[in-house]
Amino acid sequence: MLTQPTFLRSLPLRDLYPYIRCGLCNGFFIDATTITECLHTFCKSCIVKHFFCSNRCPNCSIVVHQTQPLYNIRPDRLLQDIVYKTVPYLEEVERAQIYAFYKERGLPIPKPAAPSMLPIKLLKQKQRDYMPQSVFTIPPELDVSLMLDFVGAEEGIENYKPLERKYIRVSGEATIRHVELFIRRKMELSPNLKVDVVCGEHLLEQCQSLREVQSTVGENALQDGMLVLQFGLVLPTQ
C-alpha cells in the first residue's frame, strides 16, 4: 500500500529564540536552570548572580524565596539537551572553553569537559559558518544597547503589566519619546499616566535622542556597555 510522503517543515532558528535563550545574558542557555516557583529558566551562572542582588524572578518579579532563593532552582537537563541539539557546535564550544579554563589554571578538569578534537577558535568558526548569517548579524544602525530599569509606580497606580523585556537594541537616532511608547505598549499603560525617564540624575526630555543622551551623560550612563535608563510611572499633575 502506498503512503503519502511526510514533509518536514524547517523553522528559522530565530523562531526558537524565546524558548532557548536566557533573559539575563541574551545568550543560549548554558546549564539551563529553572525557578520552581514560576518555571522561568535562565543560565545557571546568570540566575545565581542575579540572586545575590534580588530574591525575585527577573521575568515575572515573583518572590522566589524570602531569604534563600537558591533553594528554589533546579537544573533543566532536558531543555539543555534540546538547546545543544538545536544550536550547532554550542556544546563543543562550551566544553572546550571549560577545558581551557581549568587547564590554564592547573586545576583538575571535570569529566564532562573532555578535551575536544578541535581547538576553540576552529569550533567557533564552524559554529558561525553553520549558522545563517542573517540570524545573528545585528544591523549596524542598531548601535545602542539599552537596559530599561523600572524603579516603581506612584501610589495609586495599578493594573499595569511587568516589563518582561528590559534589554533592547535600538538606533541611536531613536528618541526618549520612542522609548516611552515602547514602555507604554509593553506594559499596557493607561494613556493618562506619565512615564518619567531618567539617566543618572538627569530627567530626560522626550525630544532627546539616545545618542545625545549617551554623549551628554558619558561613561556614568553605561553599565557593561549598555545605556541604563531608569523609568517610573507618575500620575498626571492636576
Side-chain angles (χ1 to χ4, degrees):
M1 185 177 68
L2 296 176
T3 59
Q4 291 291 333
T6 301
F7 296 97
L8 299 178
R9 185 169 69 93
S10 60
L11 291 174
L13 187 59
R14 62 178 173 271
D15 288 355
L16 302 177
Y17 277 4
Y19 313 104
I20 62 175
R21 292 207 303 187
C22 173
L24 289 171
C25 69
N26 209 32
F28 297 115
F29 288 131
I30 299 296
D31 290 336
T33 300
T34 298
I35 298 173
T36 58
E37 296 299 300
C38 58
L39 301 183
H40 288 128
T41 304
F42 307 89
C43 299
K44 181 177 180 179
S45 60
C46 292
I47 193 61
V48 169
K49 289 177 184 176
H50 173 81
F51 282 153
F52 286 152
C53 306
S54 172
N55 64 353
R56 294 180 176 270
C57 169
N59 273 13
C60 64
S61 296
I62 188 175
V63 175
V64 177
H65 191 282
Q66 288 292 348
T67 56
Q68 297 292 338
L70 292 176
Y71 288 169
N72 289 1
I73 59 175
R74 298 291 183 272
D76 195 330
R77 295 185 176 87
L78 178 59
L79 178 56
Q80 188 61 59
D81 287 342
I82 292 173
V83 174
Y84 280 151
K85 285 178 170 58
T86 303
V87 184
Y89 294 103
L90 178 64
E91 184 175 15
E92 289 87 346
V93 170
E94 182 64 21
R95 287 186 176 182
Q97 289 177 331
I98 294 173
Y99 176 79
F101 176 88
Y102 281 88
K103 186 176 180 181
E104 288 173 3
R105 290 158 178 78
L107 300 171
I109 299 171
K111 288 183 180 180
S116 172
M117 299 298 292
L118 296 174
I120 295 178
K121 287 185 179 179
L122 185 55
L123 280 170
K124 287 185 175 180
Q125 182 61 48
K126 281 181 170 290
Q127 186 182 19
R128 286 195 298 268
D129 292 345
Y130 192 93
M131 302 287 188
Q133 290 300 310
S134 60
V135 172
F136 291 94
T137 301
I138 297 174
E141 61 269 19
L142 302 182
D143 55 350
V144 175
S145 296
L146 280 184
M147 183 175 77
L148 301 176
D149 183 19
F150 179 46
V151 296
E154 200 170 65
E155 186 177 355
I157 299 178
E158 299 176 349
N159 301 324
Y160 56 85
K161 291 178 62 177
L163 183 66
E164 296 181 354
R165 186 180 175 189
K166 63 186 294 187
Y167 302 101
I168 58 174
R169 195 171 179 92
V170 296
S171 167
E173 297 302 320
T175 65
I176 298 303
R177 174 60 176 165
H178 292 121
V179 175
E180 178 187 333
L181 290 173
F182 174 82
I183 293 169
R184 286 185 177 278
R185 184 171 68 254
K186 294 299 182 181
M187 298 183 71
E188 299 181 1
L189 299 179
S190 170
N192 65 326
L193 293 180
K194 287 182 59 182
V195 180
D196 283 347
V197 184
V198 176
C199 186
E201 299 179 353
H202 302 273
L203 180 62
L204 303 177
E205 300 291 338
Q206 290 189 342
C207 61
Q208 289 180 272
S209 71
L210 297 176
R211 188 173 292 115
E212 178 187 347
V213 172
Q214 189 165 321
S215 62
T216 302
V217 183
E219 292 298 323
N220 294 331
L222 300 180
Q223 178 179 318
D224 296 328
M226 292 183 291
L227 179 63
V228 180
L229 299 182
Q230 296 180 316
F231 71 95
L233 307 183
V234 183
L235 292 170
T237 56
Q238 300 297 326

